[in-house]
Amino acid sequence: MPACSSGIVRSNKKVGPDLWEMEFTALALAREAQPGQFVHIRVGGNQDPLLRRPLSIYDVDAGLITLLYKVVGRGTEILSLYSSDQPLDVMGPLGKGFSLVQDRRVLLVGGGVGIAPLLFLGRELKVRNNKVIVLHGAGSKEETCSGPKFTGLGMEYRIATMDGSLGFKGLVTDLMEREIDPKSIDYIYTCGPEPMMEAVAAFAARNNMPGELSLEEYMACGVGACLGCARKLKASDPSYVKICHDGPVFPLDSVNIAP
Amino acid sequence: MPACSSGIVRSNKKVGPDLWEMEFTALALAREAQPGQFVHIRVGGNQDPLLRRPLSIYDVDAGLITLLYKVVGRGTEILSLYSSDQPLDVMGPLGKGFSLVQDRRVLLVGGGVGIAPLLFLGRELKVRNNKVIVLHGAGSKEETCSGPKFTGLGMEYRIATMDGSLGFKGLVTDLMEREIDPKSIDYIYTCGPEPMMEAVAAFAARNNMPGELSLEEYMACGVGACLGCARKLKASDPSYVKICHDGPVFPLDSVNIAP
Amino acid sequence: MGLVDMSVNLGGLQMQNPVAVASGTFGYGREYQSYIDIRKIGAVIVKGTTLEPRCGNSPPRIYETPAGMLNAIGLENPGIEVFLQEYLPALMEEGVTIVANIAGNSVDEYALITRIIDNHSGIAAIELNISCPNVKQGGMQFGTDPRLVRQVVEAVKQETRLPVIPKLSPNVTDIVSIAKAARDGGADALSMINTLMGMAVDIDRKTPVLGNVFGGLSGPAIKPVALRMIYQVYKEVNLPILGGGGISNTRDALEFIMVGASAISIGTGNFVNPSLAQEITQGLEKYLLEQGLAQIHDLVGAAVQ
Amino acid sequence: MGLVDMSVNLGGLQMQNPVAVASGTFGYGREYQSYIDIRKIGAVIVKGTTLEPRCGNSPPRIYETPAGMLNAIGLENPGIEVFLQEYLPALMEEGVTIVANIAGNSVDEYALITRIIDNHSGIAAIELNISCPNVKQGGMQFGTDPRLVRQVVEAVKQETRLPVIPKLSPNVTDIVSIAKAARDGGADALSMINTLMGMAVDIDRKTPVLGNVFGGLSGPAIKPVALRMIYQVYKEVNLPILGGGGISNTRDALEFIMVGASAISIGTGNFVNPSLAQEITQGLEKYLLEQGLAQIHDLVGAAVQ
Ligand SMILES: Cc1cc2nc3c(=O)[nH]c(=O)nc-3n(C[C@H](O)[C@H](O)[C@H](O)COP(=O)(O)OP(=O)(O)OC[C@H]3O[C@@H](n4cnc5c(N)ncnc54)[C@H](O)[C@@H]3O)c2cc1C
Ligand SMILES: Cc1cc2nc3c(=O)[nH]c(=O)nc-3n(C[C@H](O)[C@H](O)[C@H](O)COP(=O)(O)OP(=O)(O)OC[C@H]3O[C@@H](n4cnc5c(N)ncnc54)[C@H](O)[C@@H]3O)c2cc1C
Ligand SMILES: Cc1cc2nc3c(=O)[nH]c(=O)nc-3n(C[C@H](O)[C@H](O)[C@H](O)COP(=O)(O)O)c2cc1C
Ligand SMILES: Cc1cc2nc3c(=O)[nH]c(=O)nc-3n(C[C@H](O)[C@H](O)[C@H](O)COP(=O)(O)O)c2cc1C
Ligand code: FES
Ligand code: FES
């Protein structure tokens, strides 16, 4: 059962340009977390910024939860100032995570910091005897700190950088189209900028491949109480899903990203 | 000329229960500061807390400004989290400080953290060939960190603690009444809780002794622009002074503290 | 408990303690069940309900502002029938004091929803949302015109013996005249305040942030306005007040009580700290003990001059 | 400067750039002289001035609230004659664009102050404070009643050729009708918004914090309300708007411009950062350059749908 806990920060370090990795302990949270779920963090203790900030669970290992986050505004900036042993006001685990396939050939496609939920996912997929290929799109080499973590867990990790400083030069979806033989993949998971996920969804649809993606919306409550994080998965849908409660993970084919 | 500068914190350490001492450099500020003046500090960088916090100048020595502050709320709490080398957004020096007498026998009476402006004052009074006796009222021994600083500058420092853990047991004004021979004093300066300053003012009036005190009010601008820190010095006064601009220091006999 | 009496009778609504959770911020109770013992909450005011189901406004629906947030949910709800059949029973099982929050397009619709609720058991009181600024047909016009306020309250009162608590909009020139109109219509208590109407701009896209353009401002930012309006109404109108707007700790709750609120409601604060209602209840109890007061009522209006 | 045109003509008030400092937050200009080059400010709107001197409200006059502050200064000022004789000359010497802000107890008093100003040189425009919530006799009633707004503006317009800029109170049900009344009275531009009426409680002393009980809420907390009102008025009323309320950085300023403000004013932000007006002017200029826009006017109302 998710809860509001006082985690304890174990480390918080810069791992790339504006990119930070935080480790904290929160036992119940670590025990229950599923890949694709998120935590909801109160940064600072003042009235501004007021609302919690949602962050995906990047990894869970032996009671230690890891986050990978990009400093994009005040909330994440304050988070980057946390130091070891400081308490962390964290709710979670929240949302519906990825379904975990077994004995398959799986492709993970992550864009930017959207790589975050895919590490924990990959870890659990490896446990379930899947063959896992990870494609990661980043701006440049400096943003690819997660690479060794994926390979360390026995996944194949390929990188596309916009500036060509590492791996394929260009979009990760171009790398995908070029190097991935659809027949070699049974299932796709993706998280990242929406145009990227749209290209992944199109690739999956073309090749009749099932899969899942993870969406974002502004959030207030994080638990389905405020109806704030509403979104129509397809323009034709009669009603709105709540990203925090019905997602953030949805089947690839349930979503029509282009507005 | 006062300015808004980016000071650099050099040290920030706990020196008593809820009592902190911060050293920072800010050259122009240090050059111009006069005893009794204050600085106006923006704590944190968010919209809450919003307003600057006024703090007296505790000491100035060789370009280094020292503050002595009590953590009483969110602003001062955030201030206590600053660490060395961090920039400090500070306006000042502000207000009208103490007038500096020469070749006199001077009594300084400070209550609690009201001792802060009296150290810098004592330093400058010593330079002007005054004999300086300091009476400091505190809750307990733990709050008397400033003692050695006064004695180190050649002042006579006597302490009254409420719990008797150091020096006289009781109110500093009782210590004053008991131990200070009015005839041995030419001038009194005081800063602290208003009831204490009231007793000092009464003592001075009784003995026909001139002196000055330092007042506090909530402040917004700190420069006389908002008219927020208004106060009638005497109930019969037709108009309000502005503590930040006309003070915080006023002649003892210009103020009628009891409402 | 025991030493101090925390219970409150808010115009007929019996609450075990003065801390309610505000409509639209606590879902239907179950969403926060693993964060707080909902049976310990004074009253759970459920999400605003309309006669027919509503799918709500297009996103973005929420946005953070300095010490506050904007929301333009647009009264998304399953309609009164589905609420009573499918959502209410689970909440009733918990033994919680449940307050319905209703909104209608017309006086008749308010009356009709009320009749439906009155024929059903499990609801302890009805909060009338005459102030939701989000749905063009759903409130604004009622809450800002004293005559309409009176009409709606009268119509609703005729349909039920449950306590009727109009929730006042702060987006008015003269809150006292609105409160008086509600009283004259027969209101049993007043709930105040709802959100201030506001907006935000996405300067990168050069458009309003919210899909609905305007939204309701809530959270600590509006606390001074809420306190002021409650103070004004408490002085002039002899009805118990359920006060809220930006409450985020026990000290805030005490401010509301001292300007005249007999009970308080927590809205945005739940998002920040899901167990806030419980923490404030405990904080108030501790305060009463420390002050040697026997009941919360002794503090109501203490700061009103 | 040079590459982009930052100048603004606000209903006849010629400003070198669109950034003004708001009345009551910048004294008479000289207080902040060592923090900012006041000659670079678009317009300095001086402290509200009345016919007779006023000593203001009893303290406490200000109090911090979440992302905002309350003030109840009570229009302390030396009176219009002393202002013109003793304060104005020093400011004029700086070559600053000076806007007077006036408040009166009656329509006649507004007219009389205006006549006095009009007989004097050095003032570039008159901002009418019809909205100060602090002084019972000093504004509230004018700013919340469309007929009175129109009357005051008409009376003032008859006394001067200077641009007349009524400053609207946000404490109203329908800001558009107030704005239209101001326009019908002959206003040259609109200034909005003044403070929201609020209060705070000192729970330890069980009294209101402010000596005056109520005060005006300003600062970032009110920004969403200010933006919403300017948006509404911009759509309906064809007058240039001087927009403000909680502006604390260039992004905020852009929000105001995009909902329809031709120029902006900085109030509480000056207390937090005395050189904010200059920083925002530079920030806006940089933004225009980056966006390839020739003048600030191209952005006005860009987010209004
Ligand atoms: C389910 C979920 C999982 C996420 N996982 C990660 C992650 O693992 N790593 C990571 O770096 N980021 C993640 N994000 C995005 C992250 O929540 C935002 O970057 C963060 O909240 C920005 O906060 P800020 O205060 O720094 O920025 P702000 O100053 O508030 O805003 C900067 C930008 O961040 C976005 N943003 C702000 N608040 C929210 C919010 N409540 N919800 C969504 N977006 C917001 C907006 O686009 C805004 O323009 C996730 C978001 C969601 C919804
Ligand atoms: C000229 C002057 C010099 C001062 N010098 C010192 C000093 O050297 N050391 C020291 O510890 N304190 C000093 N103070 C008091 C200090 O400013 C307050 O304790 C501080 O602002 C509290 O801020 P906070 O956010 O921690 O507390 P808050 O949470 O804001 O409030 C706690 C209490 O502090 C007081 N306070 C809050 N804001 C202000 C304000 N703007 N001005 C005055 N009082 C306020 C109020 O009584 C309030 O109840 C001085 C005050 C003035 C006016
Ligand atoms: C997301 C959200 C949804 C809300 N929905 C409703 C509603 O359906 N009916 C209603 O009367 N008030 C609704 N409100 C208003 C709150 O009940 C409350 O009156 C307001 O937010 C002020 O209190 P606060 O500052 O504590 O949040 C909603 C507020 C928020 C933030
Ligand atoms: C301390 C203070 C004094 C003020 N005095 C006046 C005044 O004399 N006349 C007036 O029209 N507005 C006055 N105002 C209102 C401001 O000019 C401004 O309209 C308001 O504060 C909103 O802007 P802000 O949020 O940027 O401060 C005052 C505001 C403050 C904070
Ligand atoms: S964030 Fe509240 S419903 Fe999703
Ligand atoms: S704090 Fe503004 S006048 Fe003193």
Side-chain angles (χ1 to χ4, degrees), chain D residues 22-24 47-48 71 75 101 129 167 193-195 218-219 245-246 267-268:
Chain D
S23 179
K47 176 68 194 163
N71 90 80
L75 280 180
N101 175 286
N129 180 1
K167 183 165 179 181
I193 59 173
N194 211 317
T195 54
S218 63
T268 305

Side-chain angles (χ1 to χ4, degrees), chain A residues 40 218-230 242-245, chain C residues 62:
Chain A
H40 212 27
Y218 291 130
M219 289 185 181
C221 71
V223 300
C226 75
L227 311 182
C229 62
K242 305 306 163 302
I243 300 294
C244 70
H245 182 257
Chain C
I62 52 174

Side-chain angles (χ1 to χ4, degrees), chain A residues 18-20 36-40 43 49 51-58 67-78 94 113-117 191 214-220 229 243-244 247-248, chain C residues 62-64 202 204, chain D residues 251:
Chain A
D18 295 329
L19 211 59
W20 290 69
Q37 288 190 298
F38 65 97
V39 293
H40 212 27
V43 292
L51 298 176
R52 290 172 177 268
R53 298 296 193 256
L55 290 176
S56 300
I57 298 170
Y58 180 39
L67 307 173
L68 178 71
Y69 62 96
K70 189 161 181 156
V71 172
V72 298
R74 287 167 326 119
T76 43
E77 191 181 323
I78 295 171
L94 298 176
V113 73
I115 197 72
C191 180
S214 178
L215 294 174
E216 291 190 6
E217 268 306 329
Y218 291 130
M219 289 185 181
C229 62
I243 300 294
C244 70
Chain C
I62 52 174
Y63 192 67
E64 193 183 60
D202 181 336
D204 300 317
Chain D
R251 297 183 66 91

Side-chain angles (χ1 to χ4, degrees), chain A residues 1-4 40 42 47-53 74 89 91-94 217-232 238-240 242 245, chain C residues 24-27 30-35 47 55-69 73 76 209 218-220 248-249 252 268 271-274:
Chain A
M1 208 159 65
C4 204
H40 212 27
R42 175 120 171 83
Q47 311 287 26
D48 176 65
L50 180 69
L51 298 176
R52 290 172 177 268
R53 298 296 193 256
R74 287 167 326 119
D89 181 350
M91 273 171 82
L94 298 176
E217 268 306 329
Y218 291 130
M219 289 185 181
C221 71
V223 300
C226 75
L227 311 182
C229 62
R231 182 178 172 130
K232 279 195 183 171
S239 64
Y240 295 94
K242 305 306 163 302
H245 182 257
Chain C
T25 67
F26 211 76
R30 58 172 204 282
E31 291 84 352
Y32 274 118
Q33 235 157 352
S34 72
Y35 298 93
K47 175 69 194 164
C55 64
N57 289 332
S58 53
R61 290 181 174 182
I62 52 174
Y63 192 67
E64 193 183 60
T65 65
M69 64 175 284
I73 307 300
E76 173 174 341
V209 169
S218 63
S248 60
N249 55 45
D252 291 343
T268 305
F271 307 153
V272 178
N273 175 2

